[in-house]
Amino acid sequence: MNGILMMVIAIVVLSAGYLFYGRYLEKKWGIDPNAKTPAYELEDGVDYVPADTNIVFGHQFASIAGAGPINGPIQAAIFGWLPAFLWILIGGVFVGAVQDFAAMYASVKNKGRTIGYIIEEYIGKLGKKLFSIFCWLFCILVIAAFADVVAGTFNGFSADASGAVTKVAANGSVATTSVLFIFEAVALGMILKYAKLNKWVNTAIAIVMLVAAVAIGLACPVYMSLGTWHIIIFIYIMIACVTPVWALLQPRDYLNSYLLIFMIGAAVIGVFVANPSCNLQAVTSFNVDGKSMFPILFVTIACGAVSGFHSLVSSGTASKQIKNEKNMLPVSYGAMLLESMLAVLALIAVASFAEGEAASQGLLTQPQIFAGAIANFLSVIGLPHDLIFTLINLSVSAFALTSLDSVARVARISFQEFFLEDGDTSDTMPAWKKLLTNNYVSTIVTLIVAYMLVKVGYAEIWPLFGSGNQLLAVLALLACAAFLKKTHRQGVMLWIPMVFMMAVTFTALATTSINLSKQLMTTGLSLGNTLQLIFAVLLLILGIIVAVQGIKKLTEKEDTVPASAK
């Protein structure tokens, strides 16, 4: 197997998945191009803002494509390239893209409400409360981790073993470019809203801004410490979380989507010109270093195959920007398949290195391995290796940064939804509820907790991220299946993915809980392992409760259809 053959297979499978299975789902569920979408019906200039397909696609793709589709396949390569390759393609087409489309579809049909509200409407209030708590805590973990990762890529200084501090030019350039992106996004937002230019003119303006920011970043790196960047990033998130989406979120993601698509395009070209050989075994072993292929492979490769976090973006932010129901398929299903393509590229990248070769070149992290491989591919046609390496690192950093304010906005909404009930208005709510559901208060509370987690050490519970993320996928699929059943739409295509992901998630959480419990009874646990055990047990209990409630709803006879979803 070589890189070109893997790429051709991926392109054929993913394209066929969109053209045939995606459109099959669209036909089965029913799309009404004449329906008034929530973006228009509830337009508020903050969260509900109608946007063109390419803009919402840019937001969706930039938000869901964090570092996950790069990190996951590279980590899962310990089991061989074949299991990872098959899971990316099969999972992407039949599980991940289906979840993303179903979550967006259910949300648009329910006034742009989140998966939490879908659970309340079609499963029960207890399920919604539990989901809101879990979603908020999960998002806080993601905010803490991504903020630390982004700050690390911006950190302008590095210390060696002797304590000598040196400047890191590549990080300084990434920092400058990323900050410029934010200011350019505000300007672009004004142009998109008020100038009313042709979309091709808007595209040209966005590309010019993008190139200018990269050029200035490479020429004028900014050097600040990790702690300083932590503070700056959290201030930015706080502002972005309450700013109207048209003023920052939409144009920033629109800009970054071009950078990310450029990176994927460059990587694909690199594969075709270099045709790297596959230096990984097809299959190594079912058990590697104490890790079992089931469920670890399916928890490790989340983004790129299926990720519960995607359902939060599909139903939390993107669904509120859809102008026409016919835009949902390309925005949700299409964005997920493009992410699957990125995951395949990451797999080809790690497979191109012989054993120990990446480490010998100083490529120690997954993003560095990816950037190094793509730079190696493109150097075949004479492109400067160092420049390509820096640009790919910039793109990977953009993945994490663009996910940050989206997940923070979802966390803010989840915090508010925990306290809100159907029918609550500013006139009927008590003072304490008005305070806690205020956009600014809920944002500040969320970010204070996330910042504390950064400083205390999110790494202690990060090993549970994969299981928690896939549990989100289970709950999203369950909620969407209940919605489709109760609105008399065909939802059987969600059952197999849902049951499979239940098996994956509950096995992973149960295995973690059992192993940590055994360690507790023998040698004792560290603080980090104790936290992992507590969180693993809580996640397992939460998942079982909501799953039982959902399955009951799916198996009972129910003829009532909420008027809003008809």
Side-chain angles (χ1 to χ4, degrees):
M1 182 66 75
N2 55 51
I4 288 181
L5 184 55
M6 290 177 70
M7 183 57 56
V8 169
I9 293 172
I11 291 172
V12 170
V13 170
L14 297 175
S15 299
Y18 181 86
L19 293 173
F20 296 104
Y21 196 58
R23 289 180 177 174
Y24 164 80
L25 295 177
E26 188 179 50
K27 182 179 179 180
K28 283 294 182 182
W29 294 343
I31 296 297
D32 184 1
N34 298 315
K36 190 175 184 179
T37 63
Y40 285 111
E41 185 181 359
L42 302 172
E43 186 172 1
D44 61 5
V46 179
D47 294 318
Y48 290 85
V49 178
D52 290 336
T53 309
N54 56 336
I55 294 175
V56 189
F57 179 91
H59 161 68
Q60 176 81 3
F61 179 61
S63 298
I64 66 174
I70 293 173
N71 292 349
I74 294 176
Q75 291 174 337
I78 60 172
F79 298 110
W81 66 264
L82 184 59
F85 189 57
L86 291 175
W87 173 232
I88 291 168
L89 296 184
I90 296 172
V93 172
F94 295 105
V95 187
V98 174
Q99 176 212 233
D100 294 10
F101 186 23
M104 181 174 289
Y105 180 78
S107 178
V108 168
K109 289 296 189 181
N110 284 273
K111 299 185 181 297
R113 290 172 168 172
T114 64
I115 287 294
Y117 264 113
I118 304 300
I119 289 176
E120 178 181 26
E121 185 74 60
Y122 299 98
I123 295 179
K125 288 187 176 181
L126 175 61
K128 181 239 181 175
K129 293 290 186 185
L130 292 173
F131 181 84
S132 296
I133 294 172
F134 168 60
C135 182
W136 185 66
L137 293 173
F138 175 82
C139 288
I140 284 175
L141 177 59
V142 176
I143 293 168
F146 279 27
D148 192 44
V149 168
V150 171
T153 63
F154 291 177
N155 183 14
F157 303 100
S158 175
D160 59 22
S162 65
V165 177
T166 57
K167 290 182 177 180
V168 184
N171 288 9
S173 295
V174 169
T176 301
T177 300
S178 298
V179 171
L180 286 174
F181 276 179
I182 294 170
F183 288 103
E184 288 180 347
V186 175
L188 182 60
M190 297 294 180
I191 292 171
L192 292 174
K193 185 173 179 65
Y194 296 112
K196 307 297 182 182
L197 301 174
N198 180 277
K199 66 178 181 179
W200 296 111
V201 176
N202 291 331
T203 298
I205 293 172
I207 292 174
V208 169
M209 286 182 166
L210 179 66
V211 173
V214 172
I216 295 172
L218 292 172
C220 306
V222 171
Y223 300 101
M224 286 191 281
S225 67
L226 182 67
T228 302
W229 278 119
H230 278 150
I231 295 171
I232 292 173
I233 287 169
F234 271 91
I235 291 173
Y236 161 71
I237 301 171
M238 183 175 67
I239 295 171
C241 204
V242 296
T243 299
V245 293
W246 65 265
L248 181 58
L249 192 71
Q250 285 179 350
R252 196 281 323 279
D253 289 348
Y254 185 42
L255 269 176
N256 277 329
S257 66
Y258 282 102
L259 178 64
L260 305 180
I261 291 171
F262 157 77
M263 184 192 75
I264 293 175
V268 170
I269 292 171
V271 170
F272 277 100
V273 297
N275 191 19
S277 58
C278 185
N279 293 307
L280 287 176
Q281 295 182 47
V283 181
T284 55
S285 175
F286 191 81
N287 293 285
V288 180
D289 298 332
K291 298 177 180 178
S292 175
M293 188 182 297
F294 182 90
I296 299 302
L297 173 73
F298 306 98
V299 169
T300 303
I301 301 180
C303 296
V306 55
S307 169
F309 170 66
H310 294 190
S311 69
L312 304 183
V313 177
S314 294
S315 68
T317 56
S319 63
K320 298 174 175 63
Q321 302 171 48
I322 293 292
K323 288 178 70 173
N324 192 300
E325 287 191 7
K326 66 183 181 181
N327 298 343
M328 288 190 285
L329 181 66
V331 169
S332 57
Y333 201 97
M336 176 61 220
L337 295 188
L338 186 57
E339 189 180 50
S340 295
M341 178 64 72
L342 177 59
V344 170
L345 287 167
L347 184 61
I348 294 172
V350 70
S352 69
F353 290 106
E355 185 175 356
E357 184 183 359
S360 68
Q361 295 180 17
L363 307 174
L364 303 178
T365 67
Q366 288 84 21
Q368 286 176 342
I369 291 171
F370 178 78
I374 303 307
N376 289 341
F377 299 164
L378 291 174
S379 64
V380 171
I381 56 175
L383 294 179
H385 186 282
D386 290 345
L387 176 61
I388 298 300
F389 184 79
T390 300
L391 291 176
I392 298 298
N393 269 321
L394 170 63
S395 301
V396 174
S397 174
F399 276 124
L401 185 60
T402 51
S403 297
L404 255 179
D405 53 10
S406 293
V407 73
R409 192 176 287 257
V410 170
R412 183 255 291 173
I413 293 171
S414 298
F415 184 85
Q416 293 170 316
E417 285 185 352
F418 177 78
F419 299 100
L420 290 172
E421 304 287 346
D422 259 352
D424 277 344
T425 65
S426 57
D427 296 328
T428 60
M429 284 191 295
W432 66 268
K433 186 178 283 191
K434 287 183 183 179
L435 177 67
L436 291 175
T437 57
N438 177 272
N439 281 355
Y440 297 97
V441 173
S442 54
T443 298
I444 291 170
V445 170
T446 297
L447 296 184
I448 286 175
V449 176
Y451 185 78
M452 290 172 59
L453 193 56
V454 169
K455 294 304 179 183
V456 172
Y458 65 88
E460 299 291 359
I461 56 174
W462 184 252
L464 288 175
F465 169 78
S467 298
N469 186 39
Q470 300 307 60
L471 179 57
L472 266 177
V474 170
L475 301 182
L477 288 166
L478 190 61
C480 293
F483 156 74
L484 292 170
K485 176 181 182 293
K486 291 197 174 187
T487 55
H488 306 299
R489 295 177 172 95
Q490 188 174 4
V492 67
M493 63 287 289
L494 269 61
W495 277 79
I496 292 178
M498 179 181 68
V499 172
F500 177 74
M501 293 310 298
M502 278 186 186
V504 167
T505 303
F506 293 154
T507 301
L509 289 172
T511 301
T512 300
S513 301
I514 292 170
N515 291 340
L516 289 173
S517 298
K518 288 179 179 178
Q519 187 178 339
L520 174 65
M521 300 174 70
T522 54
T523 61
L525 294 175
S526 64
L527 175 61
N529 285 343
T530 301
L531 288 173
Q532 279 193 58
L533 178 59
I534 293 171
F535 272 78
V537 171
L538 288 176
L539 288 176
L540 188 59
I541 293 172
L542 180 149
I544 291 173
I545 292 173
V546 179
V548 168
Q549 283 191 317
I551 291 171
K552 284 182 178 178
K553 291 294 182 180
L554 286 174
T555 53
E556 71 181 14
K557 293 183 178 180
E558 177 63 63
D559 295 324
T560 304
V561 181
S564 62
K566 288 182 179 177

